[in-house]
Amino acid sequence: SQQGEEDPQALSIQEGENATMNCSYKTSINNLQWYRQNSGRGLVHLILIRSNEREKHSGRLRVTLDTSKKSSSLLITASRAADTASYFCATAPLNTGGFKTIFGAGTRLFVKA
Amino acid sequence: NAGVTQTPKFRVLKTGQSMTLLCAQDMNHEYMYWYRQDPGMGLRLIHYSVGEGTTAKGEVPDGYNVSRLKKQNFLLGLESAAPSQTSVYFCASMPGGFTDTQYFGPGTRLTVL
């Protein structure tokens, strides 16, 4: 099974609301990243949080990391229709030598205007 | 900079045919990756390279071969295509060091009949 698993699989909200996505993983990591994928496009990097960090912000994005629970959350505040996309967490397991990233199956976010 | 480019964008093959997907990056990145993405799933690593002249197997390498003769190019080959290889293929590159951000190409949609 995959290292990272997102929850929920799909999320539908109104524009202006906040969206929260969660990611759980299995093994110790060096860092955890969140990516966005618009339909039919490649993935775009959003934010990276290292294992010694607990929270990180970037614009309307807030990411938390709890290494004791092996989980992370991505919060998108004041969502917009343009935030409609799939969001993936990706982990860099320590036992992979530092150059392999394992992706979860993603959360599909739909923001209604 | 063009970033990461992939050729072709779309391809339809018949079972047993062969083809090569080309990935090129102009960012002088050390690491390059080939992933496949199937409906409703995250990305699964096929093969990767940590430098010119090197390749290594990922999670799902069977039926694929790769070469990295030049630092900027990473080729993915299908010697005898099978319907199970119908997927969207993404190439990515990464600067180097201990797991950094990956930069993705736009993808190649391959259908094997």
Side-chain angles (χ1 to χ4, degrees):
Chain A
S1 60
Q2 296 191 325
Q3 160 79 330
E5 295 187 0
E6 289 90 343
D7 172 58
Q9 292 184 340
L11 180 61
S12 181
I13 60 174
Q14 291 290 139
E15 206 167 29
E17 293 181 340
N18 295 340
T20 299
M21 289 159 265
N22 302 297
C23 171
S24 60
Y25 57 91
K26 295 185 173 71
T27 63
S28 296
I29 60 172
N30 174 262
N31 66 59
L32 185 144
Q33 304 177 48
W34 286 92
Y35 288 79
R36 182 185 74 221
Q37 183 181 35
N38 290 94
S39 182
R41 303 287 189 92
L43 277 69
V44 175
H45 181 260
L46 294 175
I47 195 165
L48 179 152
I49 185 166
R50 299 200 182 277
S51 59
N52 61 353
E53 297 175 311
R54 292 294 167 260
E55 188 170 312
K56 203 160 182 181
H57 296 257
S58 177
R60 293 185 294 114
L61 305 180
R62 173 179 170 255
V63 169
T64 62
L65 179 64
D66 187 335
T67 53
S68 67
K69 295 181 179 178
K70 291 186 169 60
S71 67
S72 172
S73 67
L74 170 67
L75 168 67
I76 304 174
T77 60
S79 63
R80 305 166 182 168
D83 294 328
T84 294
S86 292
Y87 292 82
F88 295 89
C89 72
T91 53
L94 286 175
N95 62 359
T96 62
F99 40 74
K100 288 172 69 173
T101 304
I102 311 298
F103 289 83
T107 291
R108 297 187 68 175
L109 173 65
F110 182 64
V111 181
K112 293 177 280 188
Chain B
N1 289 354
V4 180
T5 58
Q6 293 183 232
T7 309
K9 290 185 170 52
F10 304 93
R11 187 71 185 268
V12 179
L13 291 178
K14 294 181 179 178
T15 297
Q17 288 185 319
S18 63
M19 78 163 294
T20 299
L21 281 67
L22 171 63
C23 175
Q25 54 96 2
D26 60 3
M27 297 172 285
N28 201 35
H29 287 175
E30 289 294 331
Y31 302 156
M32 296 187 74
Y33 305 82
W34 275 108
Y35 297 91
R36 61 176 288 173
Q37 184 178 35
D38 299 297
M41 297 183 69
L43 277 71
R44 290 185 291 169
L45 182 63
I46 305 172
H47 286 281
Y48 64 98
S49 168
V50 299
E52 181 179 313
T54 74
T55 63
K57 294 179 180 179
E59 300 173 74
V60 290
D62 294 342
Y64 305 96
N65 57 73
V66 287
S67 65
R68 191 156 177 215
L69 300 178
K70 294 183 178 180
K71 188 176 184 178
Q72 63 268 34
N73 296 336
F74 196 28
L75 278 64
L76 177 70
L78 286 74
E79 291 185 347
S80 180
S84 60
Q85 294 178 303
T86 293
S87 189
V88 181
Y89 291 85
F90 289 99
C91 175
S93 68
M94 190 168 77
F98 204 108
T99 328
D100 207 331
T101 300
Q102 293 193 22
Y103 295 80
F104 283 82
T108 293
R109 187 174 295 274
L110 175 67
T111 301
V112 182
L113 302 175

